[in-house]
Amino acid sequence: MDFEKLAQLDAADPLAHCRAQFVIPADTVYLDGNSLGLLSHATQARVAEVTAGQWGQDGIKSWNKHQWVQLPQRVGEKLAPLIGAAPGQVVCCDSISVNLFKALSAALSLVKQQDEGARPRHQVLSTRDNFPTDLYMVQGLSSIVGSERCELQLADESELLANPQAFITEQTAVVLITEVNFRTGRRLPVAKLIEHAHRVGARVIVDLAHSAGAMPVALDAWQADFAVGCTYKYLNGGPGAPAFIYVAKRHLPAISQPLAGWFGHANPFAFEADYEAAPGIEKMLSGTPAVLAMAAVDAALDSFTGVDLQQLRAKSVQLSELFLDLLESTGCANEFRCISPAQSHERGSQLSFAHDDAYAICQALIDAKIIADFRAPNYLRVGFTPLYTRFTDIGLAVERLAQIMADKSYLAPQFQQRHKVT
Amino acid sequence: MDFEKLAQLDAADPLAHCRAQFVIPADTVYLDGNSLGLLSHATQARVAEVTAGQWGQDGIKSWNKHQWVQLPQRVGEKLAPLIGAAPGQVVCCDSISVNLFKALSAALSLVKQQDEGARPRHQVLSTRDNFPTDLYMVQGLSSIVGSERCELQLADESELLANPQAFITEQTAVVLITEVNFRTGRRLPVAKLIEHAHRVGARVIVDLAHSAGAMPVALDAWQADFAVGCTYKYLNGGPGAPAFIYVAKRHLPAISQPLAGWFGHANPFAFEADYEAAPGIEKMLSGTPAVLAMAAVDAALDSFTGVDLQQLRAKSVQLSELFLDLLESTGCANEFRCISPAQSHERGSQLSFAHDDAYAICQALIDAKIIADFRAPNYLRVGFTPLYTRFTDIGLAVERLAQIMADKSYLAPQFQQRHKVT
């Protein structure tokens, strides 16, 4: 492994300075930012300040004094430029699952209005290999409104891309598409799918869980209708951090969503018995914002200040290409089947490898302080976070992986024994 | 004000030692634990540990190493004895609003099964003066399933109590009742209402937002069907902390809920495309747990270790009776109309007073470091948290209130000017 050359790449990296903002676990190469991003020093300080300084010292007064009450909107506006959204279209709240339920309901209500008179369409098209919670939320909504008003239809990802018109038809109400596949890292051509959907009057929900903070996203330019996303992966908002939801401005006056909690009310502090939705994006809020967790997201987003997203993407591509090249050079590449697309523009910011012993190999890597992760049934995933992953890290990771494959240390019983992983 | 006598009461208080567990804002009397409970030292330490020590040092490994993955259940089990629930019936998750939606859907699904064949009942009975988010969630569910399957029916609280049979009828599917009214502090006879409901085959959801941590609650003994509650009031879990949900064990096999996120799946880490609900209380979970916020709740609950809830309730009653007595003795009691019930057993752990200038009086009190709160249209609320409120605090609060009323300092422009309050 030519670490001198890798050090040169790091020295020339225009984003190299970003790494110092993060708490890097000691002697560790962290390639799991696609599952849980790292803590930044600013986030650590903010959580301490909000806990001891604000809640501890000012109690209830903090809602106004420290503007807790505006957190969902403020964090939403900070997120907006990272996903190509003009102001007034994004809020931070709830989990991505709960936000999917809102977006689905809102999209169906929109299609119903648009199809008025006619029998409203009810098909929600998604990909079989989408992240399960996306599919579950469609099934959940369907379970209470009935399959005649919401019915999940699954397409094979490759078949959908090869022939979108065959799947996105006049029967389609909503297309629910995740830009980057969580298993394979495959990046779908969202703009193209939105075009197809709009041509037949369907609405699109884009799941940006594996996109936001890893690459430029252009929701407004794509004419996306709705989007949801996660803040705890590439946005480093913390474990289980509140998610976000985007609704295109043009749809805001017409839509409604059923999780009509008091924070989505036009005038929450009037405590009226009748729900009246807020006119703007606030109508997507539900209960009281999770202040500690949302403050962490707010602080985490500051590490993107001044970061050029094209540059971020370029580094992400460079890191993954380097990983593939080095793996090839070690001679162990042929032990794995790379299930991520060969072309970098068709990938997100991760690589996935199939191997019968993927679970044990992942455990052996973690034991060697290379943090990768495993996804059922037999995939090893490595994620690249351009803000803190160094080229040197890629060298270290591949070197140790090659070692593990060479000495077959992953066959040791302690690595084979399964436990719950996320 | 006889502060010597109050100091004696504090000295004799068997819960006096609990106060040292909390961060008490300097020179402040905090009577707003019914809105946002105070930070405990243990919570502050835990949040720091989970942030820097766990997330910061162990990243993704923490899900197993620090048992983040079990947080919703673990916190639920810690909460259970405070609300009279045997194990396996409570989880901590989401907001109270979102949990209400799940409980409502589950209760309606249960009634539908029980009424099979017949036209299912659809009325959800609540009180007009319930906390608005409770009513909004019924309206939200109704907006997507239709009023023929979910229809909100409002009763006047006093009329309902005077004549429950007139409102809880064979048409009633679900009774949604909050034990303690957020405006008036009135405590409703939940056990009796549950009896009435069960007699006609209706199911009951109890909202414990203003009960949990303030008084003994006996969900199992009451034969409650469902309950939801808040952890950021008397349970001191932190601003916007995750809420809880209870489902009686006897209902768990039969019910389903539509916010079917991956954490509610029987086998979340198998990443299957089809939703299969977990068999137990975990089926009420939805998305990824909010770890930082839930860890705060977990730590906060430790301040109840060894606390006798009957003793807690007795002190709460003593504190509120003392407040009323002292207010009477200052001669300014007649300037207010106490809208809380006169009988202590009919009250929660707060007192509410109507006054045309309630908003300004509250601001003047806060300025004098007596933290009370205001609720529209014209109520001043004072809450008593037996874990940290001292008898001396009540003396200080009433003394300053009497002063403000005597010198009419609340008429000053800075106190009259309104801003958003929570």
Side-chain angles (χ1 to χ4, degrees), chain B residues 161-403:
Chain B
L161 296 191
N163 194 6
Q165 293 94 329
F167 296 93
I168 305 173
T169 70
E170 308 272 339
Q171 311 305 313
T172 309
V174 180
V175 178
L176 168 56
I177 205 84
T178 298
E179 188 181 16
V180 178
N181 184 301
F182 80 108
R183 279 195 187 88
T184 63
R186 182 175 188 170
R187 185 186 188 187
L188 306 193
V190 175
K192 199 181 122 193
L193 292 169
I194 291 175
E195 245 187 78
H196 277 290
H198 286 181
R199 209 169 293 148
V200 295
R203 297 294 147 201
V204 180
I205 302 170
V206 188
D207 181 340
L208 298 170
H210 289 265
S211 309
M215 62 187 70
V217 171
L219 289 176
D220 286 350
W222 296 342
Q223 295 273 309
D225 301 295
F226 301 89
V228 296
C230 173
T231 66
Y232 56 74
K233 298 179 187 293
Y234 297 102
L235 296 174
N236 314 305
F244 64 84
I245 184 164
Y246 160 97
V247 181
K249 208 160 207 161
R250 65 187 178 282
H251 296 320
L252 280 171
I255 57 140
S256 62
Q257 62 89 7
L259 300 179
W262 72 307
F263 261 73
H265 195 278
N267 196 359
F269 298 99
F271 299 99
E272 291 159 0
D274 284 324
Y275 186 73
E276 183 198 338
I281 186 67
E282 294 79 9
K283 66 165 65 169
M284 302 312 279
L285 299 178
S286 189
T288 310
V291 172
L292 300 188
M294 214 175 285
V297 179
D298 190 36
L301 291 175
D302 287 340
S303 60
F304 286 90
T305 307
V307 169
D308 177 331
L309 294 181
Q310 301 293 345
Q311 216 160 47
L312 189 87
R313 171 67 178 164
K315 182 177 172 189
S316 154
V317 168
Q318 261 186 292
L319 289 166
S320 36
E321 290 292 308
L322 178 67
F323 191 99
L324 290 171
D325 289 347
L326 292 180
L327 193 69
E328 196 64 45
S329 72
T330 64
C332 76
N334 59 355
E335 294 195 48
F336 295 96
R337 182 168 55 87
C338 182
I339 59 164
S340 306
Q343 300 296 317
S344 64
H345 70 271
E346 291 179 359
R347 289 195 306 255
S349 201
Q350 71 171 63
L351 289 167
S352 302
F353 300 93
H355 190 292
D356 286 347
D357 275 306
Y359 181 82
I361 294 167
C362 183
Q363 293 306 110
L365 272 173
I366 292 169
D367 188 64
K369 300 205 164 212
I370 308 294
I371 313 300
D373 75 11
F374 166 80
R375 279 293 173 265
N378 65 336
Y379 303 132
L380 176 71
R381 301 193 309 179
V382 285
F384 310 105
T385 305
L387 290 186
Y388 53 73
T389 307
R390 298 172 305 180
F391 294 96
T392 306
D393 291 333
I394 304 300
L396 288 166
V398 173
E399 186 177 65
R400 292 190 206 167
L401 177 58
Q403 187 66 47

Side-chain angles (χ1 to χ4, degrees), chain B residues 61-195:
Chain B
K61 290 192 288 180
S62 303
W63 281 101
N64 292 307
K65 185 172 175 185
H66 304 295
Q67 288 128 36
W68 289 353
V69 85
Q70 284 95 24
L71 267 173
Q73 293 93 321
R74 197 168 70 236
V75 176
E77 294 306 355
K78 205 183 267 192
L79 248 155
L82 296 175
I83 53 176
Q89 303 177 107
V90 186
V91 277
C92 179
C93 55
D94 297 313
S95 66
I96 197 167
S97 300
V98 167
N99 287 339
L100 276 161
F101 193 85
K102 298 176 196 165
L104 277 165
S105 307
L108 286 169
S109 80
L110 200 62
V111 174
K112 196 178 167 186
Q113 288 168 51
Q114 146 198 316
D115 291 355
E116 59 168 328
R119 185 164 166 278
R121 326 174 206 205
H122 61 283
Q123 290 182 358
V124 178
L125 176 69
S126 196
T127 54
R128 203 179 310 282
D129 199 28
N130 201 345
F131 189 78
T133 222
D134 296 56
L135 309 181
Y136 300 163
M137 295 319 286
V138 185
Q139 295 167 33
L141 180 59
S142 181
S143 75
I144 58 166
V145 300
S147 58
E148 71 284 5
R149 287 167 59 192
C150 172
E151 188 177 33
L152 179 61
Q153 235 208 341
L154 293 178
D156 177 86
E157 192 178 272
S158 294
E159 289 175 17
L160 171 66
L161 296 191
N163 194 6
Q165 293 94 329
F167 296 93
I168 305 173
T169 70
E170 308 272 339
Q171 311 305 313
T172 309
V174 180
V175 178
L176 168 56
I177 205 84
T178 298
E179 188 181 16
V180 178
N181 184 301
F182 80 108
R183 279 195 187 88
T184 63
R186 182 175 188 170
R187 185 186 188 187
L188 306 193
V190 175
K192 199 181 122 193
L193 292 169
I194 291 175
E195 245 187 78

Side-chain angles (χ1 to χ4, degrees), chain A residues 308-327:
Chain A
D308 177 331
L309 294 181
Q310 301 294 344
Q311 217 160 47
L312 189 87
R313 172 68 179 164
K315 183 177 172 188
S316 154
V317 169
Q318 261 186 295
L319 290 166
S320 38
E321 290 292 309
L322 178 67
F323 192 99
L324 290 170
D325 289 348
L326 292 180
L327 193 68

Side-chain angles (χ1 to χ4, degrees), chain A residues 7 51 66 190 206 253 301 336 373 400:
Chain A
T51 306
H66 303 295
V190 175
V206 188
L301 291 175
F336 295 95
D373 74 13
R400 293 189 205 168

Side-chain angles (χ1 to χ4, degrees), chain B residues 10-71:
Chain B
D10 283 323
D13 171 16
L15 295 176
H17 65 282
C18 297
R19 180 173 162 93
Q21 297 179 47
F22 293 89
V23 177
I24 310 285
D27 306 321
T28 297
V29 173
Y30 195 78
L31 298 181
D32 209 5
N34 51 327
S35 190
L36 175 64
L38 290 179
L39 173 69
S40 79
H41 295 291
T43 304
Q44 184 178 337
R46 178 78 65 86
V47 170
E49 166 57 19
V50 173
T51 306
Q54 300 182 4
W55 175 22
Q57 292 309 311
D58 295 317
I60 191 74
K61 290 192 288 180
S62 303
W63 281 101
N64 292 307
K65 185 172 175 185
H66 304 295
Q67 288 128 36
W68 289 353
V69 85
Q70 284 95 24
L71 267 173

